[in-house]
Amino acid sequence: PPVDAKTHPQGLPLNLTRLEIAILTIGKTGVPYVRQGLDDYLRRLTHYASVKMYELADTRRGKSIPEAEQKQREGKMLLDAIQPSDYVVLLDERGRQYTSTAFSQWLQKKMSTGRKRLVLIIGGPYGFSQAVYDRADEMLSLSQMTFTHEMIRLFLAEQLYRAFTILNNEPYHHE
């Protein structure tokens, strides 16, 4: 998005009238079928909420750098992209897992807190720096299995969509 007086230098909105759900990721979504599915779910989500994905620059840019340095660089970018008032949730294998119905209830609680922005962060291939863990309000896990960071973007978007359909009693989700 373009930068203006109401926009953070990273392009993230600051002045919102309702909860924005921001998904922060490291690097672009390059796999075509993942991009297509992601675009579809992000489009569907516009009927329910302001959900935006921000793909921050890949710190490697074709270079091989040590894991610790990469996590630190990515951590700095992520921390620069969030505001003190944001509720920050890391997608992490050690996070709490929910059923889809319980996740929709969790999301409803987050929407009723009065916060302006819920930030869901998908880290890089090595996870998060300690500084990002320290800033997080909580951690969420979509599965005990390991998935690519690109696939997690799609799964998260689908689960957000599923949660909104559950909250609106729409026929997408089946028990």
Side-chain angles (χ1 to χ4, degrees), residues 15-38:
N15 211 359
L16 303 169
T17 57
R18 63 180 182 156
L19 179 74
E20 175 191 348
I21 300 172
I23 303 169
L24 299 183
T25 67
I26 300 296
K28 300 248 182 245
T29 305
V31 179
Y33 64 87
V34 174
R35 177 87 261 164
Q36 182 181 1
L38 192 51

Side-chain angles (χ1 to χ4, degrees), residues 66-165:
E67 178 182 329
E69 184 179 344
Q70 183 173 340
K71 283 172 41 173
Q72 184 174 0
R73 287 182 187 183
E74 290 169 352
K76 181 172 178 0
M77 280 193 321
L78 291 167
L79 293 172
D80 287 347
I82 57 180
Q83 299 298 311
S85 61
D86 290 342
Y87 191 85
V88 176
V89 179
L90 305 182
L91 274 79
D92 186 274
E93 61 193 8
R94 295 170 292 158
R96 185 167 179 196
Q97 293 184 10
Y98 294 93
T99 64
S100 293
T101 302
F103 179 67
S104 70
Q105 294 164 350
W106 175 88
L107 183 61
Q108 185 172 39
K109 286 179 186 171
K110 297 302 171 231
M111 291 188 302
S112 65
T113 63
R115 297 244 186 175
K116 296 246 185 232
R117 201 162 72 140
L118 170 64
V119 179
L120 303 166
I121 302 179
I122 301 170
Y126 300 115
F128 301 104
S129 67
Q130 188 57 52
V132 174
Y133 280 116
D134 292 346
R135 171 57 182 90
D137 294 294
E138 69 181 281
M139 295 188 301
L140 170 70
S141 172
L142 296 183
S143 174
Q144 291 181 4
M145 300 174 91
T146 301
F147 299 103
T148 68
H149 290 81
E150 290 194 37
M151 291 299 293
I152 287 297
R153 298 169 194 199
L154 177 58
F155 298 157
L156 177 61
E158 191 278 338
Q159 283 300 301
L160 286 168
Y161 176 73
R162 182 176 297 273
F164 279 109
T165 63

